Amino acid sequence: MTATSSFTGDANPYSGGDPYADYRTADFPFTQYANLADRQLGAGVVAANDEFFAQRENLLVPERAEFDPEHFGHKGKIMDGWETRRRRGVSAEHPWPTAEDHDWALVRLGAPGVIRGIVVDTAHFRGNYPQAVSVEAASVPGSPSPEELLGDDVKWTTIVPRTAVGGHAANGFAVSAEQRFTHLRVNQHPDGGIARLRVHGEVVPDPAWLSVLGTFDVVALENGGQVEDASNLFYSPATNTIQPGRSRKMDDGWETRRRRDLGNDWIRYQLAGQSQIRAIEIDTAYLKGNSAGWASVSVRDGEDGEWTEILPRTRLQPDTNHRFVLPAPAVGTHARVDIFPDGGISRLRLFGSLTEDGAARLAARHQELGG
């Protein structure tokens, strides 16, 4: 496994104006993967040893951290993140924390999977960020309690070794552990604050659960579907289209910029496995004056398969959930939705079930990854 950090050291004290003006960030290639620690998927911060200044749940807030220089409470400055008190030594002769002293938070991933990269964001923590961070991961079935996760029988794997980080910065770490994980233990050495945590990776669902479901959404993120590519991501990410539930507002979908040519926009997906698709939903919820005018859906079987249209170009209505029953099941491993000419959709659902080959391959991968 590997981990690399882009920033170290203090940021300058806040001097007024835009608090993000001197924020340090970079393009991390692993952010193309979905955020497995997304609250919308069901992620949560289930415990922390200390949250004196700012509560642990802030770590998973989807929006970027905000900063109000005049926001103080009875315990001190209120920060939009997880912040612990200052650690102290055991005596006046040794007032400093030891090298082993650290604070921790336990995070339940919204969907178990293989982690490709982690972002530990210290936005607005300029002089009160941790000196270093480390991250451990575990695979624990069911719904374990914090006490069970902290038990001696749980095997934790270090996926980000103790690494110095920078204040007011997006600290990115590439991860190469080919294992399926369900929980993280985020450590800050020795104390301090972290604004946001993002855990990017590939969902690896439980094949036994999908088998019991029978018919399910074979492109849904929580079931192992993923976005491979899209023509345009100007306003919002294409991954929104396979998130759980219905869209709650306009930016909780996929919307492209306005086209001024004769082309069209599209998203390409990889399904949970080879599947038989029997029904389609295309939802344009909250897209009222900017929904796609028409849409078509195609599938292909295998990376080199030919695209076959299973839903011809069909008129869409704004702010409407459209349902289509296919005359015969369509078999494929990948899908593509084309919208004409531009605009957006909020959700795509492809209902069906895994083929025998798809189920066997998923079960083999699940076992290989330690599931």
Short mmCIF file of all heavy atoms in Angstrom, two decimals, residues 88-96:
data_model
loop_
_atom_site.label_atom_id
_atom_site.label_comp_id
_atom_site.label_asym_id
_atom_site.label_seq_id
_atom_site.Cartn_x
_atom_site.Cartn_y
_atom_site.Cartn_z
N ARG A 88 -2.19 17.06 26.87
CA ARG A 88 -1.16 17.46 27.82
C ARG A 88 -0.41 16.23 28.33
O ARG A 88 -0.91 15.10 28.24
CB ARG A 88 -1.78 18.18 29.02
CG ARG A 88 -2.45 19.50 28.64
CD ARG A 88 -1.41 20.52 28.21
NE ARG A 88 -1.96 21.84 27.95
CZ ARG A 88 -2.04 22.40 26.76
NH1 ARG A 88 -1.62 21.71 25.69
NH2 ARG A 88 -2.52 23.61 26.60
N GLY A 89 0.78 16.46 28.87
CA GLY A 89 1.58 15.38 29.44
C GLY A 89 1.10 15.00 30.83
O GLY A 89 0.07 15.49 31.32
N VAL A 90 1.87 14.14 31.48
CA VAL A 90 1.44 13.57 32.76
C VAL A 90 1.84 14.41 33.97
O VAL A 90 1.34 14.20 35.07
CB VAL A 90 1.99 12.14 32.92
CG1 VAL A 90 1.40 11.23 31.85
CG2 VAL A 90 3.52 12.15 32.85
N SER A 91 2.75 15.38 33.77
CA SER A 91 3.23 16.15 34.94
C SER A 91 3.85 17.46 34.47
O SER A 91 4.07 17.68 33.28
CB SER A 91 4.28 15.34 35.71
OG SER A 91 5.46 15.17 34.93
N ALA A 92 4.15 18.31 35.46
CA ALA A 92 4.81 19.58 35.14
C ALA A 92 6.19 19.34 34.54
O ALA A 92 6.67 20.13 33.72
CB ALA A 92 4.92 20.43 36.41
N GLU A 93 6.83 18.26 34.97
CA GLU A 93 8.15 17.94 34.42
C GLU A 93 8.05 17.41 32.99
O GLU A 93 8.98 17.53 32.20
CB GLU A 93 8.86 16.91 35.30
CG GLU A 93 9.28 17.41 36.67
CD GLU A 93 8.10 17.60 37.62
OE1 GLU A 93 7.07 16.90 37.41
OE2 GLU A 93 8.21 18.45 38.52
N HIS A 94 6.89 16.82 32.66
CA HIS A 94 6.67 16.28 31.30
C HIS A 94 5.30 16.75 30.79
O HIS A 94 4.34 15.98 30.72
CB HIS A 94 6.73 14.75 31.32
CG HIS A 94 8.06 14.21 31.75
ND1 HIS A 94 9.14 14.12 30.89
CD2 HIS A 94 8.48 13.74 32.95
CE1 HIS A 94 10.18 13.62 31.54
NE2 HIS A 94 9.81 13.38 32.79
N PRO A 95 5.20 18.06 30.46
CA PRO A 95 3.91 18.61 30.07
C PRO A 95 3.48 18.29 28.63
O PRO A 95 2.37 18.62 28.22
CB PRO A 95 4.12 20.12 30.23
CG PRO A 95 5.58 20.31 29.94
CD PRO A 95 6.26 19.09 30.49
N TRP A 96 4.37 17.65 27.88
CA TRP A 96 4.08 17.41 26.47
C TRP A 96 3.47 16.03 26.26
O TRP A 96 3.82 15.07 26.96
CB TRP A 96 5.38 17.51 25.65
CG TRP A 96 6.13 18.78 25.94
CD1 TRP A 96 5.91 20.01 25.42
CD2 TRP A 96 7.23 18.92 26.86
NE1 TRP A 96 6.79 20.93 25.94
CE2 TRP A 96 7.62 20.28 26.83
CE3 TRP A 96 7.92 18.03 27.70
CZ2 TRP A 96 8.66 20.78 27.61
CZ3 TRP A 96 8.95 18.52 28.49
CH2 TRP A 96 9.31 19.88 28.43
#
